[in-house]
Amino acid sequence: MNRVVDPAVLTALQQEAGAERAREIVARYLATLEERVYMLRGAVAAYNSAGALVTLRGLSEASTVVGAHELGQLADSLEPGLRRGNFRPARDAMPELLQLVTATKSALAPVLDTSSVSTTR
């Protein structure tokens, strides 16, 4: 899959939770995305593997909920190195992570537009 956000996951979220709740979930994800990246960068810079792992797991899980699989997969791929105390892959992945965050935010922004989400169930 080569999409930043899987539209099937968003559709399923809207069907299961309702359009308004889905918008709230996406809005909360987007509101916390920058903070998660900030926390991750700080933990990596401080060689804090526990903090980095907690942040990565949260990023991965939240990304899965909204269908941001590429971002979630990148977060997952960094965990093994951090568990071994190897911070280099996480440092090296920061530019890609930041690009994916930007792309993910752009891809999810239309979900917040109430006119773009079907309200029928």
Side-chain angles (χ1 to χ4, degrees), residues 58-106:
L59 177 61
S60 175
E61 292 170 9
S63 295
T64 298
V65 170
V66 299
H69 293 303
E70 286 189 35
L71 194 51
Q73 288 171 351
L74 179 58
D76 289 343
S77 75
L78 300 176
E79 280 195 43
L82 288 170
R83 270 191 250 115
R84 292 187 307 272
N86 183 0
F87 289 85
R88 184 177 196 102
R91 282 193 309 270
D92 291 348
M94 282 300 158
E96 180 183 2
L97 182 94
L98 294 172
Q99 288 176 339
L100 276 174
V101 165
T102 300
T104 300
K105 288 167 60 176
S106 295

